[in-house]
Amino acid sequence: MNGIGGTAVQQSELSGRVALVTGAGQGIGEAVTRALVAQGARVAALDWTPDGVKRLEAEFGRDTVTAHTADVADSAAVEAVVDEVERTAGPLAILVNVAGVLRTSPVVEITDEIWERTFAVNSTGVFNASRAAARRMAERRSGCIVTVGSNAAGVPRTSMAAYAASKAAATMFTKCLGLELGRSGVRCNVVSPGSTDTAMQRDLWTDEQAPLRVIEGDPASYRVGIPLGRIAEPSDVADAVTFLVSDRARHITMHDLYVDGGATLRA
């Protein structure tokens, strides 16, 4: 056991591997960063605002977590971060695309700005980071890419058309990338969370009964509940990501793993 930034870390199956996590400053991205560190990875934590990733860097130390600030929608900025990570930390073995935005609106009220920004981050951001990582991973014939999508990509949601469509695009992109990279040994998978206790989720709640409606369902919005009877914690999603980037998942690619407590009633 080694103490890093006051946190006990067991060097395990990801020891020595370099990972890049986008959207790492809070919520699921932060949980993924912590989970990867707990398994021994060295993590480049990327977010478009500095505070969260700088806190992680200060907690764990720069030998374990490095903070990077960039907008994933900016391809040149993403390429520069990947270059820096490979130059200073070593070959990138893991990419986890978590960065995402959600602004709800009925379709007839969606502005051009909402639509374009949603796709710029949720879809183009996944493309930018994955392309930069895939070029390098394919040459080395090794690596893992995981995109954190959403169960909304597979089931219609009222007032979430832009978000759901952008996540569906990111999901299919990741599967196509996995098909193209299969012979190189690079694996590409998707983790699709349902309702998860993050700031993004809480921003959707309008009263004290909102969490209960999420769990029990809301017929007025044509939404079923969560059979397991609980809202996910970010660590539930991070555990799924950690499994998919590990050697335990060495024969899994182009898979979409739903982590939603059964909410989408998938066959």
Side-chain angles (χ1 to χ4, degrees):
M1 302 287 286
N2 295 321
I4 300 177
T7 301
V9 177
Q10 181 178 5
Q11 299 300 310
S12 187
E13 59 189 345
L14 302 181
S15 181
R17 300 186 193 181
V18 177
L20 171 63
V21 180
T22 72
Q26 63 178 341
I28 292 172
E30 179 182 348
V32 168
T33 298
R34 293 181 179 279
L36 294 176
V37 167
Q39 291 298 322
R42 184 177 184 186
V43 181
L46 172 66
D47 209 297
W48 64 348
T49 56
D51 292 349
V53 290
K54 285 186 175 180
R55 282 194 298 270
L56 287 168
E57 181 182 274
E59 176 181 348
F60 290 105
R62 283 188 58 84
D63 287 342
T64 302
V65 175
T66 54
H68 304 267
T69 304
D71 184 350
V72 293
D74 183 339
S75 61
V78 171
E79 189 73 31
V81 169
V82 174
D83 278 341
E84 180 182 356
V85 170
E86 293 230 331
R87 186 176 65 254
T88 60
L92 188 63
I94 297 166
L95 167 67
V96 186
N97 295 300
V98 187
V101 294
L102 168 61
R103 292 175 64 182
T104 58
S105 177
V107 170
V108 296
E109 298 175 12
I110 295 175
T111 64
D112 291 351
E113 186 274 332
I114 290 175
W115 182 267
E116 291 165 3
R117 184 59 184 166
T118 300
F119 271 82
V121 175
N122 297 357
S123 303
T124 303
V126 170
F127 164 71
N128 288 338
S130 298
R131 179 179 59 179
R135 286 172 177 159
R136 295 160 172 85
M137 291 177 178
E139 289 179 358
R140 294 189 289 262
R141 304 187 67 79
S142 177
C144 299
I145 295 172
V146 173
T147 295
V148 175
S150 171
N151 66 355
V155 61
R157 297 285 194 219
T158 57
S159 296
M160 292 177 64
Y163 179 79
S166 67
K167 288 293 188 176
T171 294
M172 186 52 70
F173 165 79
T174 303
K175 291 182 177 182
C176 290
L177 181 63
L179 181 61
E180 292 185 8
L181 297 182
R183 293 296 178 90
S184 73
V186 177
R187 299 185 295 104
C188 303
N189 291 291
V190 179
V191 171
S192 292
S195 297
T196 305
D197 191 1
T198 63
M200 179 183 287
Q201 175 68 212
R202 289 176 176 270
D203 285 344
L204 300 175
W205 296 348
T206 56
D207 56 65
E208 293 181 354
Q209 296 302 310
L212 184 62
R213 288 195 297 273
V214 171
I215 294 171
E216 294 188 346
D218 183 11
S221 63
Y222 311 100
R223 182 167 182 158
V224 301
I226 303 174
L228 285 184
R230 58 183 287 269
I231 294 173
E233 296 293 330
S235 60
D236 295 320
V237 183
D239 285 344
V241 171
T242 304
F243 165 69
L244 286 173
V245 302
S246 75
D247 291 341
R248 289 172 291 147
R250 66 180 186 177
H251 205 56
I252 301 175
T253 194
M254 296 180 284
H255 182 65
D256 188 356
L257 176 56
Y258 274 51
V259 184
D260 66 355
T264 49
L265 306 180
R266 298 188 83 206

